[in-house]
């Protein structure tokens, strides 16, 4: 069974049945909720990044450089990472709606309605934000990234076993819209994310659980806690 581990905010670790190690939206060193730091990683195979905001991208380049992992993200972010010294053979660009069969499974970038800038010391570039839909041996995972509620989520109905949805409000969906997203997607299980990291996005995840009701199971993970699916 794939094992998913929450590291706070939108950062997750994922180990597949085959033992391939993935991190989604790496934000460790400055993440107030994280149980890990970049220096805790020695071996890693893939880094997936939904968009270029620092709370999703900040440790993508350091982690990729440290571990030799391959960075999978939008074309623009991958191109930006190359200017920061990640070798081209460890970069895999995707665009929204496009996917690729990787050794760990099929990964597709999904639409997200959100901001577009990647900031870095060499300036900034525009990069479409997205999410990831992963078809792994053992289950299908959807990491929504940072997004508003969008009707496109209805296209995922019946195709998601575990959904990772932001509930923090202010920068993303809040609990009510996230509960509507659950109605759109009908996953087996939802794990709320992108909340409680700082004051603007304080939420009670139990309230989200109540709003979801019988539509799906809700599992609230603490940083460092894992879920097998
Ligand atoms: Ni963002
Ligand atoms: Mn964010």
């Amino acid at each position: 069974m794939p094992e998913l581990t929450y590291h706070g905010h939108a950062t997750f670790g994922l180990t597949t049945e085959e033992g391939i190690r993935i991190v989604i939206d790496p934000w460790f060193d400055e993440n107030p909720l994280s149980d890990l730091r970049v220096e805790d990683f020695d071996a890693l195979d893939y880094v997936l990044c939904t968009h270029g905001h620092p709370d999703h991208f900040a440790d993508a380049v350091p982690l990729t450089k440290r571990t030799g992992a391959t960075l999978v993200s939008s074309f623009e972010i991958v191109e930006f990472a190359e200017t920061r010294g990640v070798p081209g053979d460890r970069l895999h660009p995707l665009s929204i709606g496009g996917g690729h069969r990787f050794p760990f499974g099929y990964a597709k970038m999904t639409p997200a309605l959100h901001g577009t800038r990647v900031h870095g010391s060499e300036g900034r570039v525009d990069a479409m934000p997205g999410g990831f839909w992963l078809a792994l041996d053992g289950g299908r995972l959807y990491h929504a990234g940072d997004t508003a509620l969008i009707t496109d989520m209805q296209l995922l109905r019946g195709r998601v076993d575990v959904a990772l949805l932001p509930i923090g409000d202010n920068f993303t969906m809040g609990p009510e819209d996230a509960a509507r997203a659950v109605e759109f997607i009908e996953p087996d299980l939802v794990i709320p994310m992108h909340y409680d990291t700082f004051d603007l996005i304080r939420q009670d995840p139990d309230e989200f659980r109540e709003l979801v009701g019988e539509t799906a199971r809700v599992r609230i993970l603490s940083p460092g806690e894992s879920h097998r699916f």
Side-chain angles (χ1 to χ4, degrees):
M1 284 189 290
E3 186 177 57
L4 182 74
T5 305
Y6 185 49
H7 298 299
H9 203 61
T11 305
F12 287 85
L14 179 65
T15 304
T16 67
E17 287 183 348
E18 301 80 15
I20 299 174
R21 296 146 303 184
I22 301 163
V23 166
I24 308 174
D25 280 3
W27 188 40
F28 295 104
D29 290 357
E30 305 291 328
N31 178 351
L33 297 182
S34 181
D35 58 314
L36 292 179
R37 298 175 64 81
V38 170
E39 65 186 23
D40 294 323
F41 286 87
D42 291 321
L44 187 67
D45 301 299
Y46 289 90
V47 173
L48 275 52
C49 188
T50 62
H51 67 294
H53 288 157
D55 55 321
H56 302 257
F57 176 72
D59 289 329
V61 168
L63 197 56
T64 306
K65 282 184 176 171
R66 178 181 171 86
T67 62
T70 295
L71 176 64
V72 181
S73 191
S74 67
F75 180 86
E76 293 78 9
I77 286 177
V78 157
E79 199 176 47
F80 184 77
E82 194 164 18
T83 70
R84 310 295 297 276
V86 180
D89 62 352
R90 290 204 265 111
L91 293 167
H92 188 109
L94 293 173
S95 285
I96 306 292
H100 179 77
R101 196 161 299 287
F102 292 92
F104 61 82
Y106 186 78
K108 179 157 78 171
M109 280 200 90
T110 55
L113 190 56
H114 189 61
T116 59
R117 295 280 166 145
V118 183
H119 296 257
S121 57
E122 281 88 12
R124 53 190 210 176
V125 295
D126 287 321
M128 282 282 280
F132 282 101
W133 181 81
L134 308 180
L136 311 168
D137 282 347
R140 297 155 306 171
L141 178 75
Y142 171 52
H143 186 301
D146 281 1
T147 183
L149 177 68
I150 49 175
T151 51
D152 297 43
M153 289 170 178
Q154 294 175 6
L155 299 171
L156 295 168
R157 177 173 292 143
R159 293 179 163 84
V160 176
D161 298 301
V162 177
L164 314 177
L165 300 181
I167 66 160
D169 217 346
N170 198 82
F171 296 116
T172 66
M173 298 189 285
E176 287 179 13
D177 280 355
R180 292 190 69 194
V182 176
E183 287 172 21
F184 285 174
I185 300 163
E186 295 181 359
D188 292 335
L189 182 93
V190 194
I191 297 170
M193 64 172 178
H194 212 277
Y195 68 98
D196 277 2
T197 321
F198 36 86
D199 282 341
L200 276 176
I201 60 172
R202 294 256 175 251
Q203 295 295 339
D204 178 358
D206 286 315
E207 245 170 63
F208 170 69
R209 190 206 298 276
E210 274 173 38
L211 289 166
V212 170
E214 300 298 308
T215 314
R217 288 185 296 137
V218 176
R219 177 141 191 221
I220 297 159
L221 293 179
S222 302
E225 210 177 347
S226 297
H227 176 78
R228 285 174 176 271
F229 63 99

